[in-house]
Amino acid sequence: MSKNHLDTICVQGGYTPGNGEPRQMPIIQSTTFKYSTSEDMGKLFDLEASGYFYSRLQNPTCDMVAKKICELEGGTAAMLTSSGQAANFFALFNICNCGDHIVSSSSIYGGTFNLILTTMAKMGVEATFVSPDCTEEELNAAFKENTKAVFGETIANPALTVLDIELFAKCAHAHGVPLIVDNTFATPVNCRPFQWGADIVTHSTTKYIDGHGVTVGGAIVDSGKFDWMAHKEKFPGLCTPDESYHGIVYAEKFGKEGAFITKCTSQLMRDLGSTQSAQNAFYLNLGLESLHVRMARHCENGQAVAEFLHDHPKVAKVSYCGLPDDPYYQRAQKYLPHGSCGVVSFELKGGRKAAEAFMKQLKLAAIETHVADARTCCLNPATSTHRQMTDEQLIAAGVPAGLVRISCGLENKEDLIADLQQALEAIEG
């Protein structure tokens, strides 16, 4: 594990040039790699030597960026994927088979919820969803004999609930399974889930890690702490021979520190191919170099906007864990003492009509299906992603018609507040 501070890792982690080598991380834009003999390449296919032979599995640029993210999270191994959705799927499917079961927080990104509830169910993997505010007894009751993983998000998108990582980790470990945490919104700058007992961390690098709306991507990081062999009856894919890869037993050959990512790369990436390109990984690294600086500004702007909205007479409710009366404030003080993120959700008193009027008047905040960008963006689900639903259905889904999600960018906070102020003034009543 690196002894440098996170700020230094953001700037210099993952790649250290030698004498006369490029100062900037190089883009290895090649699908294949040349070897002198078949024996040399054979060692790579047998996982007896480290190196590269085909960029669908591994690429030097991608590995350098994965190494930096791994250092930031304090893990032992990491890999990049083509998207955050691919990262979550790979992290779960790497240890789940047909007939297995997942316990998940119900407060997660809608796309991930659907992945677990619908798509993985088609593969024979069932799930039980629990509230992020469940008691220890309620959480323990969700486990079954065939449970293989627990999943949650540090800060849920878009509900902005904060996961009690320590509690979820405690229960997962009591049942002999790992806790997988999506750390996209917090980033390792504001929360490192491994310090609180999580075993695997995922990211949609499309969000704050890129931070500029340039490239889609994902990452998986292993803490290297979960003892797969201690629960080998639960994880045959890691603890028994993989006949599709020369009979290798990953947990024996690569230990706690490397088994999970090695299997995920040599088996899932080989077969499913959700690969990150070298060019996109290069863009991610540019975003990582300023992540520690940008997150502080995102949080500053998010806090200022949340406080402004909290006191505005046309706003019914604000969700932001930096507000002292937010239900997740105390939990955020524990897990996110230096700030959470720049995303704020709020409900307007006038419902759908008020939200439509508000959105039309925004000048700086762009209407986008995106968050965690350098530029402020805004979305009203009732008139966009959820527009097919009635007001009653929206309330049942937890996204009332007057709900607006704003992702505060890097602009001046006074300008953002002024934009919100003039847009709120356009609402009648």
Side-chain angles (χ1 to χ4, degrees):
M1 186 181 296
S2 175
K3 296 180 180 179
N4 289 325
H5 290 85
L6 289 179
D7 309 40
T8 302
I9 298 172
C10 280
V11 179
Q12 296 208 21
Y15 169 66
T16 303
N19 189 43
E21 293 183 344
R23 185 64 192 89
Q24 179 56 275
M25 184 181 290
I27 304 170
I28 310 301
Q29 194 67 46
S30 181
T31 58
T32 53
F33 301 83
K34 176 183 177 295
Y35 288 89
S36 299
T37 68
S38 295
E39 288 77 13
D40 290 336
M41 183 170 283
K43 291 178 182 178
L44 300 177
F45 277 93
D46 289 342
L47 301 180
E48 297 292 343
S50 60
Y52 303 91
F53 52 86
Y54 197 56
S55 279
R56 185 177 80 243
L57 277 80
Q58 286 181 287
N59 173 279
T61 305
C62 294
D63 280 1
M64 286 184 277
V65 178
K67 182 181 178 182
K68 177 179 282 192
I69 297 172
C70 187
E71 287 182 46
L72 287 169
E73 287 288 5
T76 58
M79 64 187 290
L80 299 186
T81 61
S82 58
S83 67
Q85 191 78 323
N88 283 331
F89 174 61
F90 275 26
L92 289 165
F93 200 59
N94 200 37
I95 50 177
C96 291
N97 295 315
C98 181
D100 286 339
H101 175 257
I102 295 166
V103 174
S104 174
S105 168
S106 60
S107 186
I108 56 177
Y109 168 59
T112 309
F113 188 92
N114 190 69
L115 166 70
I116 296 171
L117 177 67
T118 305
T119 303
M120 293 193 73
K122 294 177 182 177
M123 301 174 179
V125 179
E126 296 181 338
T128 298
F129 291 92
V130 296
S131 166
D133 305 319
C134 64
T135 65
E136 185 172 345
E137 291 75 18
E138 290 169 335
L139 183 52
N140 279 321
F143 286 83
K144 300 180 179 181
E145 285 295 319
N146 59 339
T147 300
K148 297 300 174 68
V150 180
F151 180 84
E153 295 179 1
T154 309
I155 306 170
N157 174 20
L160 303 182
T161 56
V162 178
L163 188 72
D164 191 342
I165 302 172
E166 210 164 29
L167 173 63
F168 273 67
K170 176 185 177 182
C171 293
H173 297 158
H175 293 269
V177 302
L179 171 61
I180 302 172
V181 174
D182 185 327
N183 198 32
T184 295
F185 268 18
T187 81
V189 171
N190 286 337
C191 183
R192 303 175 90 195
F194 294 156
Q195 294 180 344
W196 301 101
D199 301 289
I200 309 293
V201 159
T202 61
H203 285 278
S204 170
T205 60
T206 314
K207 310 303 190 297
Y208 285 119
I209 286 181
D210 166 22
H212 299 84
V214 173
T215 182
V216 175
I220 307 172
V221 187
D222 184 6
S223 69
K225 295 178 181 178
F226 192 84
D227 191 345
W228 306 104
M229 289 301 290
H231 309 282
K232 58 184 179 181
E233 73 285 351
K234 284 183 173 288
F235 306 104
L238 285 160
C239 303
T240 60
D242 178 4
E243 299 305 334
S244 77
Y245 218 105
H246 319 297
I248 282 176
V249 179
Y250 296 100
E252 289 182 352
K253 188 172 182 64
F254 301 100
K256 294 187 295 183
E257 297 78 11
F260 186 89
I261 294 296
T262 303
K263 176 180 180 291
C264 206
T265 301
S266 58
Q267 190 183 90
L268 297 190
M269 192 63 83
R270 175 198 67 194
D271 294 345
L272 300 174
S274 298
T275 310
Q276 177 72 265
S277 74
Q279 185 74 46
N280 285 2
F282 177 82
Y283 294 143
L284 288 184
N285 185 59
L286 293 180
L288 280 164
E289 288 180 353
S290 63
L291 180 63
H292 59 298
V293 180
R294 290 186 289 106
M295 285 307 295
R297 182 59 173 260
H298 283 298
C299 291
E300 177 187 347
N301 285 354
Q303 184 71 32
V305 163
E307 290 173 359
F308 164 75
L309 292 168
H310 182 271
D311 296 330
H312 199 282
K314 294 183 179 180
V315 176
K317 179 183 177 182
V318 180
S319 295
Y320 190 74
C321 64
L323 296 174
D325 62 354
D326 187 89
Y328 297 95
Y329 178 79
Q330 291 301 326
R331 194 177 290 174
Q333 294 304 297
K334 174 180 177 178
Y335 294 115
L336 304 153
H338 304 298
S340 56
C341 63
V343 182
V344 181
S345 289
F346 60 100
E347 184 181 348
L348 293 169
K349 290 181 178 178
R352 184 188 299 266
K353 184 178 179 181
E356 289 177 345
F358 171 79
M359 299 290 285
K360 286 178 181 178
Q361 296 301 316
L362 291 171
K363 309 298 182 187
L364 284 178
I367 300 174
E368 301 177 30
T369 54
H370 189 43
V371 288
D373 196 296
R375 294 157 293 271
T376 295
C377 46
C378 205
L379 191 71
N380 169 231
T383 56
S384 55
T385 55
H386 294 61
R387 67 178 298 121
Q388 76 280 5
M389 300 172 71
T390 65
D391 286 3
E392 291 73 21
Q393 289 172 327
L394 287 167
I395 292 171
V399 283
L403 184 73
V404 176
R405 182 190 68 188
I406 183 168
S407 174
C408 301
L410 303 179
E411 303 91 346
N412 183 282
K413 61 186 176 184
E414 294 181 6
D415 292 337
L416 293 180
I417 290 171
D419 189 31
L420 296 177
Q421 177 66 55
Q422 63 84 26
L424 287 166
E425 289 173 356
I427 302 173
E428 295 179 2

